[in-house]
Amino acid sequence: MNNINGFSKKELKASLMPDIFHLILFPTEECNFRCVYCYEDFAIGNMQPWLIDATKAFLSKKIPHLKHLNLSWFGGEPLVAKKIVFDIAQFAYDLAQQYDCQLLGDITTNGSLLDVKTLTTLVALKQNRFQISIDGAKDHHDTTRLTRSGRGSFDKIWERLLAAAATDLDFHITLRIHVTAFNQQSVLEFCDLFTLELAQDPRFSLFFKAIEDLGGNNQSQLQPLLDAGKPRQVAAQLQQKYYPKPNDKHYICYAAKPNSLAIRANGALNKCTVALQDAGNVIGKINPDGSLEVNNQVFSTWIQGFVGLDTWKMACPHSYMEAQKQLKPEYSRDIAIIEVA
C-alpha cells in the first residue's frame, strides 16, 4: 500500500522520522525588491553574529543524529546576505560530510543576485535548488516585481537565467509563474520565450500559481490583481499542459510536519514562512548556545493534522487555524509567546 487516506505513505514517514530534518533559515529579512503585492515588512535585517553562531551550535548538535538534512533559505531576499548563507552552508556541509548525513538545500530567491560565481559556490555546497518568481513577460513583470529603486527587474533575472544555462553546473531552477487578473496574455508570451530559450534544458521547469492575498500592507495594489477564479483556472490549465501528471496524492505543507521549523533573522522559531506577523506562528526561540526553547502548546497546533490526517490541516495549518478563529473566538485566545532576544 503506497498511500494512507490519500497521503503518500513515504512522505508521511519522512515527515515523522527523527533522523530527517528540514531547517528553514532567514539569513536576512531585508530585500532588494519591493514587489507590489509583497506581504513582508522588511523590519528585521541580517542575522546578528550571535545568531549565526547559535545556528551553527544547533547544527553541531543535530547533524550527528541525522541521515538527511534539508536546508531552505528564505527572506526577504536571502542572497542580500550571501556571506551568511555561504558561512552557514559551508559549516553544515562540513558536518554532513563528517557524519555521513545527506545534505540538500533550496533557496527562494528573486534571482537578481544569482550570478554564476554565487551559483557555483552554492552548488558546491549542495544548495542547488532554486525557486524564482516571474510575473509574465517583461511588459507585465516590470509593473509588479520592482527593485527597491522602483525599476523593473525582468532583464536582470533573465540575464542570470541564461548565464546559468550556459554552465554545466548541477542545479535545478523552478520558475514560479504568477498568474493575476491582468497578466494572463503576458504569461503565455513568457511561456513562448521559455520554450524557445530554456525548455530544452532539464535543469529548468515552470510552476504556475495564481496570485494570492497573503496579508501585508500592500492591499491597495494587491486587490486589483486578484480574481475570483480565472487566475487559478489558467494556472491549473498551464500546469497540466506543460507538466501533465495525475494529482493523486494529498499535499503536506512543511509547516504541518513535526520535523520542520524555521529560524528567523531575529532568532524566533516559526513554523510558517508566510504568517510572519501572526503571534501564533512563533513557537519559541533559539538560545545563544544553540538550544531551542519551544512552546509545545503552540507547536502542537501546527502539527495536529497528523492526528487524523485531515487534508485541510495537513495542506495549510495556518489557514485552518485562521478559519477556526472566525468560527470560535476562544480559539484565538492569547498565547504566551517566549520573548525573542
Side-chain angles (χ1 to χ4, degrees):
M1 186 170 65
N2 294 322
N3 66 81
I4 301 174
N5 290 358
F7 291 95
S8 163
K9 187 176 181 179
K10 181 179 179 180
E11 188 174 5
L12 287 172
K13 181 179 179 181
S15 302
L16 297 169
M17 292 294 289
D19 57 3
I20 297 174
F21 195 69
H22 178 209
L23 180 62
I24 305 167
L25 295 173
F26 289 67
T28 184
E29 297 189 32
E30 247 304 348
C31 188
N32 59 336
F33 276 23
R34 290 297 183 267
C35 303
V36 301
Y37 46 71
C38 187
Y39 59 88
E40 299 196 44
D41 60 15
F42 317 112
I44 302 172
N46 290 4
M47 278 186 168
Q48 295 301 301
W50 77 264
L51 182 52
I52 297 171
D53 291 341
T55 302
K56 291 179 180 179
F58 171 72
L59 289 169
S60 293
K61 298 172 184 177
K62 194 75 175 175
I63 288 178
H65 306 286
L66 296 178
K67 291 182 179 178
H68 181 102
L69 172 64
N70 182 44
L71 291 179
S72 293
W73 302 89
F74 205 77
E77 167 51 50
L79 294 182
V80 166
K82 65 176 67 176
K83 289 183 179 180
I84 298 175
V85 175
F86 293 163
D87 185 18
I88 297 176
Q90 181 71 63
F91 186 84
Y93 177 84
D94 292 341
L95 273 177
Q97 292 284 101
Q98 179 181 349
Y99 290 99
D100 196 26
C101 170
Q102 183 185 18
L103 175 67
L104 295 174
D106 58 84
I107 302 180
T108 299
T109 172
N110 59 43
S112 66
L113 302 175
L114 191 61
D115 54 77
V116 170
K117 182 179 179 181
T118 300
L119 179 63
T120 301
T121 301
L122 292 168
V123 168
L125 297 173
K126 303 297 183 183
Q127 309 302 293
N128 63 347
R129 292 171 294 155
F130 305 88
Q131 179 176 273
I132 299 172
S133 293
I134 300 288
D135 286 8
K138 176 179 170 64
D139 65 328
H140 191 89
H141 177 100
D142 281 351
T143 67
T144 52
R145 296 191 67 78
L146 305 173
T147 66
R148 189 159 44 188
S149 64
R151 297 177 181 176
S153 61
F154 185 88
D155 288 341
K156 176 59 68 176
I157 297 169
W158 191 247
E159 174 188 326
R160 301 300 195 201
L161 294 174
L162 294 180
T167 73
D168 59 359
L169 295 170
D170 178 19
F171 64 81
H172 188 84
I173 294 176
T174 299
L175 299 180
R176 177 181 169 122
I177 311 302
H178 288 145
V179 183
T180 75
F182 301 118
N183 76 339
Q184 290 151 41
Q185 182 58 42
S186 186
V187 164
L188 295 178
E189 292 170 6
F190 177 80
C191 290
D192 290 340
L193 177 63
F194 178 83
T195 299
L196 182 65
E197 300 282 352
L198 293 176
Q200 301 308 309
D201 190 329
R203 296 174 297 176
F204 295 87
S205 63
L206 303 179
F207 170 63
F208 298 91
K209 181 71 173 176
I211 202 74
E212 295 181 41
D213 183 356
L214 300 176
N217 299 321
N218 292 327
Q219 291 295 311
S220 62
Q221 298 184 77
L222 167 66
Q223 291 303 318
L225 301 175
L226 302 175
D227 189 291
K230 187 65 172 177
R232 291 187 180 183
Q233 179 183 351
V234 170
Q237 290 172 344
L238 287 171
Q239 192 68 35
Q240 187 64 21
K241 174 183 177 181
Y242 282 88
Y243 304 97
K245 60 180 181 180
N247 185 19
D248 58 353
K249 298 291 190 299
H250 295 318
Y251 173 68
I252 305 176
C253 177
Y254 61 89
K257 298 178 180 181
N259 57 3
S260 175
L261 64 81
I263 302 176
R264 291 185 62 180
N266 64 352
L269 302 180
N270 280 25
K271 285 293 286 175
C272 176
T273 60
V274 174
L276 299 182
Q277 309 307 318
D278 188 341
N281 188 22
V282 183
I283 63 169
K285 68 176 183 178
I286 185 171
N287 295 314
D289 65 356
S291 62
L292 305 183
E293 291 186 36
V294 177
N295 184 320
N296 288 322
Q297 178 185 352
V298 183
F299 178 80
S300 66
T301 64
W302 288 90
I303 63 172
Q304 60 184 302
F306 279 87
V307 175
L309 297 184
D310 180 274
T311 55
W312 187 0
K313 295 176 184 178
M314 296 284 267
C316 186
H318 179 254
S319 69
Y320 174 82
M321 289 187 283
E322 287 298 297
Q324 290 303 301
K325 289 177 184 179
Q326 300 299 320
L327 294 172
K328 304 174 184 178
E330 66 273 15
Y331 193 90
S332 59
R333 62 189 179 279
D334 291 338
I335 300 174
I337 299 300
I338 300 170
E339 183 179 354
V340 177

